[in-house]
Structures are given as structure tokens and as C-alpha cells.
Amino acid sequence: MKKIDPYEYLSGNSYPGRGVLMGKSADGRHAVTAYFIMGRSTNSRNRVFVEDGEGIRTEAHDPALLSDPSLIIYSPVRVLGNATIVTNGDQTDTIYEGLEKGIEMKKSLESREHEPDAPNYTPRISGVMNIENGRYDFALSILKSNSDASGCDRYTYAYETPVDGEGRIIHTYVGDGDPLPSFEGEPKCVALDDGIDEMTEKLWNALNEDNKVSLFVRFINIADGSYETRIVNRHQ
């Protein structure tokens, strides 16, 4: 599969919405993940990422401007043992609780569906990275409204042998619109050629200046599980 430049890809889209990226560094030493959020409304833009243990959570930058926390305040990243969970909603907790019981992401998400924000019906996108004994694999999921909004279509993509310098990115929307059109097709195959600081800077700069809100990037050492994290917030 041909790899595309993730920065060119994102810079050409004014509103990809929320996005999850997972893959492997070019040197083969690190599992790589990133999560970004964007917003058009005051409520959506009024957010920051903050560290929460080994994961992160969203918080209102200005509590006085928070009008509806239901779909914007959640834990995008949680860690359970060798598993790192990254999602765009409170399904992070559903996956976490399932893994505690030995239930894989795909099965746990059978109890969830796209967000109830008609007419957009924003997809729920999720990913789980597993690192154990020097082995690494990841999977991505999207739950999206079907063509007539009468039900939910569910897709899971598993990557058992990630390639050095290659990743996959999935995001909520094809682009801007009213209603917002949901992501289509498989996660996009992207090149991962940069270290954590270069990648963080380039991803942040690639996101639309008016709509970007927050970015999380993590590199996990596959050999020993140690990691580095970078967080960038529009409201510093």
C-alpha cells in the first residue's frame, strides 16, 4: 500500500474533526500514536488535554463557557498493563473495562454506536496498541451511521505486524460540511519518518489554524515499555 505524507494529508483538510493515528517509528524501536481534536463551536473549542496518570483527559479551558460536557469531556487515552487505548469519546472506558475482563475491543464496542448528535452522527473512532515481550500490534475501529441513519455500521482493522516507518490514521469527518460527512473507507496509510518532537510540531502545524484545539503524541519503546509524551493545547 502506498504511504502518504500525513502532514500534507491533514493540511489539505480544513476539518477532519478528531483523529487517531497509530503505527511504528522509522527506526522500528517505537510504537507511535497521536490523537487530535478540532472544534467549530465555542463549546468544542473550549478544551485542553491534561495528563491523568498514564493517560490524558479533556478539561474545559474556561469552565464558565462549558455548555454541554456530554460529548466533549472524556478520557481520550487510558493505559491498562501492556495496552494503550486511544479514542474520541467515553468508549475509552468501555474498552478499558472490557480488557480488564479479557474482552477485546471489537467485542466491547458491540454495546456502543456512533454519537447521538444528529444530523452529524459523529463516528466513534478507537484504537488499541498492545506491546508485550518485544512484540507490537494495534487495531483501529470506527462505528458510524449507516446510509439512512437507521443503524450503526461497525468496522475494525487489525495490524498484527506493523511496518517500520508506517502508520494508519482514521478521523471522524471527510471534511467540513453541514451536516458533517463521516470518514469513508479504510484508515489511511501514512509515512512516519520523524522523531516525537518533529512529528508533534508538524502535526500541529498541519491542522487548520482556526479549528485545531489539542494534540497528543506518544512514542512507546517496544523493548521496555517506557514512553515519551507531548501535548499541545490551543489554550496554553
Side-chain angles (χ1 to χ4, degrees):
M1 182 179 292
K2 182 179 179 180
K3 291 181 284 189
I4 62 175
D5 184 309
Y7 316 118
E8 289 184 4
Y9 175 71
L10 290 171
S11 64
N13 186 340
S14 65
Y15 203 68
R18 287 166 274 171
V20 175
L21 182 154
M22 291 184 170
K24 197 175 185 183
S25 62
D27 62 10
R29 297 174 53 204
H30 296 93
V32 176
T33 187
Y35 176 62
F36 63 82
I37 60 174
M38 307 182 81
R40 299 190 301 178
S41 68
T42 299
N43 196 45
S44 292
R45 292 177 175 179
N46 180 38
R47 288 182 287 176
V48 293
F49 287 165
V50 297
E51 293 191 72
D52 185 10
E54 294 182 286
I56 63 170
R57 68 179 187 275
T58 61
E59 282 187 355
H61 169 65
D62 182 350
L65 296 177
L66 182 63
S67 60
D68 179 8
S70 62
L71 295 177
I72 67 167
I73 302 299
Y74 56 94
S75 297
V77 180
R78 295 187 69 182
V79 176
L80 178 65
N82 300 312
T84 299
I85 308 160
V86 184
T87 91
N88 73 326
D90 64 9
Q91 73 269 25
T92 310
D93 301 331
T94 303
I95 297 168
Y96 185 99
E97 291 162 7
L99 291 177
E100 284 186 310
K101 301 173 184 176
I103 302 171
E104 63 179 15
M105 174 177 68
K106 181 179 179 180
K107 185 68 175 177
S108 291
L109 289 176
E110 289 179 0
S111 66
R112 305 302 302 269
E113 60 179 17
H114 53 77
E115 295 182 357
D117 60 336
N120 296 316
Y121 299 108
T122 298
R124 291 190 185 272
I125 53 174
S126 309
V128 174
M129 313 167 75
N130 293 291
I131 300 171
E132 188 169 8
N133 298 323
R135 295 180 59 84
Y136 165 50
D137 63 78
F138 69 92
L140 293 169
S141 165
I142 183 168
L143 311 179
K144 55 188 292 187
S145 171
N146 61 8
S147 59
D148 65 359
S150 63
C152 181
D153 292 339
R154 306 167 185 277
Y155 304 90
T156 302
Y157 305 90
Y159 303 93
E160 296 182 355
T161 53
V163 175
D164 294 358
E166 185 175 290
R168 296 294 191 281
I169 187 170
I170 192 167
H171 45 92
T172 51
Y173 309 122
V174 171
D176 211 342
D178 191 14
L180 289 159
S182 293
F183 182 89
E184 297 176 350
E186 296 183 19
K188 307 299 182 184
C189 182
V190 296
L192 299 179
D193 300 326
D194 298 307
I196 188 169
D197 289 318
E198 295 85 358
M199 181 177 174
T200 302
E201 181 179 6
K202 289 181 178 180
L203 280 175
W204 184 249
N205 290 339
L207 297 173
N208 180 269
E209 187 67 27
D210 293 331
N211 296 322
K212 63 186 178 184
V213 176
S214 295
L215 169 67
F216 159 91
V217 179
R218 177 168 290 177
F219 276 42
I220 307 172
N221 188 302
I222 296 171
D224 62 17
S226 61
Y227 62 82
E228 287 188 85
T229 299
R230 303 290 186 268
I231 293 175
V232 184
N233 290 306
R234 175 176 183 163
H235 301 292
Q236 291 288 357

